[in-house]
Amino acid sequence: MPLIQRHLFGPGPSNPYPEATAALGHPLLGHLDPAFLDVMDSACDGLRTVWGTDNRRTLPLSATGSAGMEAAFVNTVEEGDVVVVAVNGLFGERMCDVAARCGAEVVRVDFPYGEPIDPQRVAEAHPSPKIIAAVHAETSTGVRSDIAALGELKGDALLLVDAVTSIGGIELRADDWGVDLGYAGTQKCLGVAPGLAPFTISDAAFERRVQHPRSWYLDLGMLGGYVGEAQGRARTYHHTAPTAMIASLDAALRRIAEEGLENVWARHQAAGDALQAGLQDMGLELFAAEGHRLPELTTVKVPEGVDSAWVRAYLLEHFSVEIGAGVKEYANTVWRIGLMGPNADAGSVALVLGALQEALRKVPALV
């Protein structure tokens, strides 16, 4: 099979940082090798930085971001627990599904796709929930919601946050915002291949966890003996960690630290601003609500009479550029364009705008 170099400008995965790719070629280490444990500890320290937390139990789960979602709920929800979920996109809906499968009484608070959540409405949806859950950066719609405001209103509830598309791309301060549990993915703004779920849980949430969760593999009590709360070389074997992927993550986190996390946020903001201005200059209309648009993931309405799938196929064939379709009822009427990780730069903006302009000039009219 020939090697194909794609410009991954969809909602994820993004192209990885070169340092992350290079680390995959390092000599493989065993998962209990002292040299690897140093890499794991370094990666956990780097994750604390991008999460904005001092949580001891901050670690890369050996699975994708969706498993991070499941870990968050399966370790905290017991039969009958009330879980309030803010839903303004596909991944809020998935939270409801996963929480219900764990036996929760789910109180769903809906908002229109393309709009942020209203923290006040969410906080007032139930007088005493165990968990309040929300998506920080909704991947399906390109909208950012105010997690800091929700944290101020959570009361005694645990605040659970999806940061899959926000971590490493926009401001994220878990401790300052009162986030008790958070999960993310490596394949977006962190600039690593998919396969790990950066995860964090506060001491307060860990104390309120389910002692024997339904999932053995995602049991945070057992995982803590291997990473997070473990010290030195005394580690309790749990599973064979994907050592090459963790080395790749560590390399990307070091690269982000060298640039400076706030500088990385600023770079994503600049690229997103330039892309969104360029799209509007082309006469296109943005989908997400103004003032709440993600810089790292832009949603734009497909012009009337334009075949969305034809344009995406043209970009892929002629420019090796991937952009994403919308979801659910917006599958054919919205494009999702991600500039994440190393793709958050002026060159990527110029490429996607130029390619899209050519595609729109050549697209056949819908019959």
Side-chain angles (χ1 to χ4, degrees):
M1 180 178 177
L3 296 176
I4 300 174
Q5 178 63 50
R6 297 292 194 203
H7 303 285
L8 298 177
F9 298 157
S14 70
N15 296 103
Y17 285 113
E19 294 88 343
T21 300
L24 291 172
H26 291 175
L28 194 65
L29 296 173
H31 63 288
L32 293 174
D33 187 313
F36 171 69
L37 296 178
D38 288 339
V39 173
M40 171 69 87
D41 289 346
S42 175
C44 291
D45 285 341
L47 288 178
R48 290 183 188 93
T49 297
V50 293
W51 271 112
T53 186
D54 292 326
N55 289 341
R56 290 181 297 156
R57 299 174 185 88
T58 300
L59 67 153
L61 295 179
S62 302
T64 62
S66 294
M69 179 188 295
E70 187 148 350
F73 285 108
V74 80
N75 279 279
T76 54
V77 174
E78 297 187 87
E79 195 76 30
D81 284 343
V82 175
V83 176
V84 172
V85 182
V87 179
N88 66 331
L90 176 64
F91 292 94
E93 294 187 11
R94 285 194 184 175
M95 281 184 164
C96 293
D97 188 2
V98 174
R101 289 170 187 242
C102 293
E105 177 188 335
V106 176
V107 178
R108 175 172 169 153
V109 188
D110 282 284
F111 303 90
Y113 274 38
E115 298 287 335
I117 69 168
D118 177 349
Q120 192 76 39
R121 269 190 60 201
V122 175
E124 293 175 353
H126 191 278
S128 57
K130 182 175 184 181
I131 293 171
I132 296 175
V135 179
H136 183 205
E138 179 51 77
T139 310
S140 64
T141 64
V143 170
R144 173 183 359 207
S145 290
D146 191 344
I147 298 301
L150 188 57
E152 292 178 354
L153 298 168
K154 69 174 184 175
D156 292 331
L158 299 174
L159 178 57
L160 190 163
V161 172
D162 176 323
V164 169
T165 299
S166 58
I167 195 168
I170 57 175
E171 183 180 17
L172 175 60
R173 304 186 188 276
D175 287 355
D176 291 347
W177 295 353
V179 175
D180 295 290
L181 297 113
Y183 61 87
T186 49
Q187 71 273 18
K188 302 197 182 194
C189 297
L190 291 180
V192 182
L196 298 173
F199 191 91
T200 190
I201 180 171
S202 68
D203 286 346
F206 190 74
E207 289 171 5
R208 296 171 65 181
R209 77 188 188 281
V210 177
Q211 293 298 316
H212 298 285
R214 292 173 171 84
S215 173
W216 179 92
Y217 186 66
L218 298 174
D219 184 339
L220 294 173
M222 298 174 70
L223 285 168
Y226 180 57
V227 295
E229 66 190 62
Q231 300 293 325
R233 304 302 181 202
R235 311 290 172 118
T236 303
Y237 168 72
H238 180 261
H239 68 281
T240 302
T243 57
M245 277 299 302
I246 292 169
S248 180
L249 171 62
D250 182 53
L253 292 168
R254 288 174 180 272
R255 185 249 175 267
I256 289 170
E258 287 175 5
E259 183 177 352
L261 181 57
E262 294 197 2
N263 292 330
V264 174
W265 293 343
R267 175 164 56 80
H268 281 81
Q269 187 67 55
D273 288 347
L275 174 64
Q276 291 166 16
L279 291 168
Q280 290 175 305
D281 287 345
M282 291 168 57
L284 300 176
E285 183 180 355
L286 302 182
F287 176 73
E290 187 172 1
H292 303 278
R293 293 167 182 155
L294 295 173
E296 69 273 31
L297 182 59
T298 295
T299 46
V300 58
K301 296 181 181 180
V302 178
E304 189 173 350
V306 168
D307 184 335
S308 170
W310 186 95
V311 170
R312 289 187 289 108
Y314 185 91
L315 295 177
L316 200 64
E317 179 182 356
H318 292 276
F319 295 96
S320 207
V321 164
E322 176 185 279
I323 66 171
V327 301
K328 300 185 72 172
E329 63 263 39
Y330 301 102
N332 298 316
T333 59
V334 168
W335 290 315
R336 293 183 292 161
I337 305 175
L339 297 179
M340 298 182 277
N343 294 340
D345 64 10
S348 297
V349 174
L351 174 57
V352 73
L353 288 175
L356 188 56
Q357 281 181 317
E358 178 176 315
L360 290 174
R361 283 197 302 267
K362 296 188 176 182
V363 62
L366 286 171
V367 178

